[in-house]
Amino acid sequence: MGSIAGKWKERAAEATRAGLDLVFPRHCVGCGGPVEDEVYAFMCAPCRAGLYYIDGAYCRACGYPYLGMSTADRVCPNCRELRPVFERGRALVLHRGLGGRLIIELKYHRGLFLRDDLARLIRRFADLDVYIGDAVLVPVPLHPRKERERGFNQSGFLAGLFAEAGEGAVVEDALVRTRDTDSQTRLRREERAGNVKNAFAIAPGYAIRGEKNYIVVDDVYTTGSTLNACARALLDGGAGAVRVLALAHG
Ligand SMILES: [Zn+2]
Ligand SMILES: [Zn+2]
């Protein structure tokens, strides 16, 4: 597109956006109030101030922050129970307050409008470029029936955003969900692990590259059992190294 036409198009888009802001003021996904700063479009400053950013000391295995726990233990109590087969885990924020609302918007309301805000949030974490590097990012797959109903896989959407934070990272749908597991939310910890065991397999026709780093991406890390089951499927399929990455940690 020529630069003049491009400029006009940009201006038209700006005018439209300003007009829409007047007609439909942007609301914060955290509290429903207006968003008045120009940095984030859908997260107001007070809600952002309440976000818990996981960038201090955290469990090396799953990424859960050490909230006053002894940092002598390298692995948190949750991981001692889970026995993760993945090498490392990382999450950006705690799943509470605005952190929880972001997940709901992504999961149930197709939070595509959050794209720019989430990209900005991800850029805030300076260590992510190294953590992600040139890995193959694998979204936790939905069952095909659920994906048809929902029309959107939030983990795939996030994997695309995370790939931009890496250096040469790619998103590949390396896994499929072979069983339509019931929603995990009502299950207890032990039930969750049994529920997702053997629920994932390497996608038909997909060839694992043993020399690559694989990172399984989910919207939220709850007990870790889903991510662990995905990691196990990748390792069984020949992956040499598997890590996990989630937007929020439960
Ligand atoms: Zn708010
Ligand atoms: Zn842990």
Side-chain angles (χ1 to χ4, degrees), residues 27-35 42-48 98:
H27 291 291
C28 169
V29 296
C31 66
V35 180
F42 298 99
M43 301 193 259
C44 77
C47 282
R48 290 205 316 277
L98 178 58

Side-chain angles (χ1 to χ4, degrees), residues 61-62 78-79 82 84 86 91 218-224 227 244 246 248-250:
C62 76
N78 182 15
C79 283
L82 176 72
F86 47 84
D218 208 354
D219 52 350
V220 58
Y221 186 118
T222 308
T223 64
L227 285 162
V244 302
H249 205 311

Side-chain angles (χ1 to χ4, degrees), residues 135-147:
V136 177
L137 304 185
V138 180
V140 171
L142 294 174
H143 188 270
R145 189 179 57 78
K146 197 173 270 178
E147 184 150 1

Side-chain angles (χ1 to χ4, degrees), residues 54-121:
I54 305 173
D55 50 11
Y58 52 81
C59 171
R60 200 176 146 77
C62 76
Y64 194 74
Y66 287 120
L67 304 164
M69 282 185 267
S70 160
T71 49
D73 281 332
R74 275 161 47 90
V75 170
C76 75
N78 182 15
C79 283
R80 274 200 292 276
E81 211 170 304
L82 176 72
R83 303 217 199 129
V85 297
F86 47 84
E87 280 177 4
R88 289 193 59 188
R90 187 82 178 83
L92 306 193
V93 296
L94 275 188
H95 184 244
R96 54 175 78 149
L98 178 58
R101 292 300 313 175
L102 287 172
I103 299 301
I104 290 173
E105 291 296 333
L106 283 172
K107 198 172 264 177
Y108 300 111
H109 305 139
R110 296 200 203 191
L112 292 171
F113 64 96
L114 288 170
R115 190 182 201 293
D116 290 351
D117 279 6
L118 289 172
R120 190 177 298 276
L121 180 70

Side-chain angles (χ1 to χ4, degrees), residues 88-241:
R88 289 193 59 188
R90 187 82 178 83
L92 306 193
V93 296
L94 275 188
H95 184 244
R96 54 175 78 149
L98 178 58
R101 292 300 313 175
L102 287 172
I103 299 301
I104 290 173
E105 291 296 333
L106 283 172
K107 198 172 264 177
Y108 300 111
H109 305 139
R110 296 200 203 191
L112 292 171
F113 64 96
L114 288 170
R115 190 182 201 293
D116 290 351
D117 279 6
L118 289 172
R120 190 177 298 276
L121 180 70
I122 288 168
R123 282 199 297 275
R124 190 186 176 283
F125 293 83
D127 65 318
L128 273 186
D129 60 340
V130 174
Y131 188 81
I132 295 170
D134 65 351
V136 177
L137 304 185
V138 180
V140 171
L142 294 174
H143 188 270
R145 189 179 57 78
K146 197 173 270 178
E147 184 150 1
R148 267 198 307 279
E149 280 169 15
R150 207 178 275 174
F152 179 67
N153 179 355
Q154 71 278 6
S155 301
F157 174 63
L158 285 171
L161 290 175
F162 282 131
E164 289 171 15
E167 281 159 14
V170 289
V171 180
E172 292 178 1
D173 293 316
L175 293 174
V176 288
R177 198 181 280 253
T178 52
R179 280 194 294 118
D180 192 2
T181 52
D182 287 318
S183 171
Q184 293 272 82
T185 43
R186 276 164 297 147
L187 301 177
R188 290 200 309 273
R189 179 181 293 271
E190 322 81 73
E191 292 171 330
R192 283 180 182 229
N195 193 38
V196 291
K197 203 175 173 200
N198 303 320
F200 301 96
I202 303 296
Y206 184 84
I208 296 273
R209 282 162 288 154
E211 78 286 2
K212 295 293 285 184
N213 284 311
Y214 280 81
I215 299 180
V216 188
V217 175
D218 208 354
D219 52 350
V220 58
Y221 186 118
T222 308
T223 64
S225 52
T226 298
L227 285 162
N228 212 25
C230 287
R232 187 170 284 120
L234 288 171
L235 289 166
D236 288 350

Side-chain angles (χ1 to χ4, degrees), residues 12-36:
E14 266 169 36
T16 307
R17 187 177 145 152
L20 283 174
D21 282 354
L22 284 178
V23 184
F24 305 108
R26 285 176 281 130
H27 291 291
C28 169
V29 296
C31 66
V35 180
E36 273 153 7

